[in-house]
Amino acid sequence: MQDVQIRHDWTIEEIKEIYNTPLLELMYRAATVHRQTQDTAEVQVCTLLSIKTGGCSEDCAYCPQAARYNTDINVHGLLKKEEVLAYAEKARDAGSTRFCMGAAWREVRDNRDFDRVLDMVKGVNELGMEVCCTLGMLTEEQAQKLADAGLHAYNHNLDTSSEYYESIITTRTYDDRLRTLDNVRKAGVSVCCGGIIGLGESHEDRIGMLHTLSNMPKHPDSVPINALTRVKGTPMENMPKVAFWDMVRMIATTRIVIPRAMVRLSAGRAEMSLSEQAMCFMAGANSIFTGEKLLTTDNPSFEEDHMMFELLGLKPREAFKDQEAGVHVH
């Protein structure tokens, strides 16, 4: 594989020029970068489980788990470790190599619930899977505790640009998010950080978010690109569906400016045809969530994804592959 230059000094103008490249040319360029940096037949297969659902005090305008919105979410407390491990085992046996646990918390508190999550992390780690968590804001000490328990990755999305951020969330700041990512990085945990398109943001906001991500001192190892899932009862329920071509454009631009990342085709995949998903893989996506649910919203099943992999000649990426190969993302 050729060495592609990893840059941390992208300008807004450069990313804008890439983003606005005619689509087929952009896809070709992204596919070329993908081929130079990774095995294009490999897709990282992740499964996401909501271990604590609903009742969150935040006001993220897209989220059905916010306590202030009247949605059809079944609120439940923290699951038992046995339930979580049984689900993780099922996911592993179906081909998932990364297991992500999400809790609808604003931030982690040092209490019994956090101790139980640390215990879950240890348990999933013992199954030979990469363990990921998304639990809200973290202190440096909490990030270290998760690392010590065997956490492989932590997801904390920026969602959008710093300029548009306050239009969708007022209960925590953009800097709060960046601080959590710093804490995760200091603990030596892999950073998973991306965003959502379709929140009413402009193309400039999408470019702005990629500018922030691509200029981090160390690029995120995983970048989820989500299309807004419009949920009844949230302020975003009547937003128009994200155009498929916008997803392709976003994935391709991400692949070019953050070349070694796992670019994850995340929320919104359930509304895509097989040929649309294939186009996203051609544009540089190489990671998906599989299993019936993405926290609380629908997602293609394990069986559907097996069929898709077979048809497209894709194979699941092994767990801990970068560590084994001694590859470091700079």
Side-chain angles (χ1 to χ4, degrees):
M1 286 182 197
Q2 294 175 34
D3 222 20
V4 168
Q5 190 191 2
I6 307 297
R7 289 181 50 190
H8 303 267
D9 60 352
W10 291 97
T11 65
I12 289 276
E13 289 69 31
E14 285 175 315
I15 299 173
K16 192 174 189 173
E17 195 178 324
I18 294 166
Y19 183 90
N20 289 322
T21 300
L23 193 66
L24 294 181
E25 180 59 34
L26 175 62
M27 286 178 70
Y28 176 75
R29 188 173 163 192
T32 304
V33 170
H34 193 189
R35 193 162 276 106
Q36 288 170 338
T37 54
Q38 317 208 19
D39 180 347
T40 54
E42 277 187 347
V43 174
Q44 183 191 55
V45 181
C46 317
T47 296
L48 177 60
L49 176 67
S50 181
I51 58 170
K52 183 265 174 188
T53 305
C56 183
S57 62
E58 299 249 48
D59 68 353
C60 310
Y62 53 80
C63 186
Q65 302 203 61
R68 66 192 71 204
Y69 308 139
N70 190 12
T71 62
D72 294 331
I73 294 302
N74 292 322
V75 176
H76 69 69
L78 200 61
L79 295 177
K80 290 189 169 69
K81 181 186 172 184
E82 295 68 38
E83 295 174 88
V84 172
L85 292 186
Y87 197 90
E89 219 164 326
K90 179 188 164 194
R92 185 195 61 186
D93 295 346
S96 278
T97 55
R98 177 175 287 197
F99 189 70
C100 307
M101 296 180 278
W105 290 334
R106 180 176 188 274
E107 73 260 290
V108 170
R109 293 202 169 91
D110 295 303
N111 57 19
R112 261 194 339 205
D113 278 354
F114 184 43
D115 293 339
R116 286 170 61 194
V117 170
L118 293 173
D119 210 25
M120 290 174 196
V121 168
K122 285 176 189 158
V124 177
N125 195 33
E126 282 161 13
L127 293 175
M129 301 178 85
E130 294 178 8
V131 196
C132 178
C133 282
T134 179
L135 313 167
M137 292 185 286
L138 281 183
T139 64
E140 214 175 310
E141 294 73 24
Q142 290 162 342
Q144 192 56 56
K145 279 184 183 176
L146 285 162
D148 294 343
L151 189 74
H152 181 78
Y154 195 81
N155 166 262
H156 200 61
N157 290 334
L158 292 180
D159 290 344
T160 188
S161 70
S162 56
E163 291 79 11
Y164 189 64
Y165 181 82
E166 285 179 18
S167 308
I168 49 166
I169 301 162
T170 66
T171 45
R172 71 172 115 159
T173 67
Y174 212 68
D175 282 345
D176 286 336
R177 291 192 179 242
L178 293 170
R179 203 171 297 115
T180 289
L181 294 171
D182 276 346
N183 292 338
V184 169
R185 221 177 266 115
K186 281 178 196 160
V189 170
S190 171
V191 169
C192 173
C193 183
I196 307 170
I197 65 171
L199 303 168
E201 76 287 348
S202 64
H203 290 289
E204 282 69 27
D205 289 314
R206 295 172 188 177
I207 291 159
M209 182 186 79
L210 290 180
H211 180 251
T212 301
L213 292 171
S214 63
N215 283 281
M216 286 178 169
K218 183 176 186 290
H219 287 165
D221 302 312
S222 305
V223 182
I225 303 295
N226 297 279
L228 173 69
T229 304
R230 304 166 316 284
V231 180
K232 197 173 174 351
T234 65
M236 297 262 166
E237 65 174 302
N238 296 316
M239 295 300 282
K241 183 185 170 186
V242 170
F244 165 68
W245 303 112
D246 284 2
M247 278 294 277
V248 174
R249 192 172 287 283
M250 196 68 185
I251 285 165
T253 308
T254 306
R255 171 55 65 212
I256 293 166
V257 298
I258 313 175
R260 292 200 187 277
M262 296 283 113
V263 180
R264 187 169 303 131
L265 174 57
S266 298
R269 194 165 71 86
E271 292 186 64
M272 287 183 189
S273 67
L274 201 146
S275 44
E276 285 175 336
Q277 291 179 67
M279 228 160 185
C280 290
F281 293 128
M282 280 181 72
N286 64 340
S287 179
I288 58 168
F289 279 120
T290 193
E292 285 72 16
K293 287 281 178 193
L294 267 190
L295 293 179
T296 60
T297 55
D298 291 336
N299 196 50
S301 68
F302 291 121
E303 292 73 22
E304 288 173 281
D305 286 334
H306 280 165
M307 281 168 58
M308 176 175 72
F309 273 43
E310 208 164 305
L311 185 71
L312 300 179
L314 299 172
K315 61 188 181 195
R317 176 187 169 91
E318 290 168 24
F320 308 107
K321 186 169 178 186
D322 280 350
Q323 282 176 299
E324 285 164 14
V327 173
H328 299 286
V329 181
H330 298 296

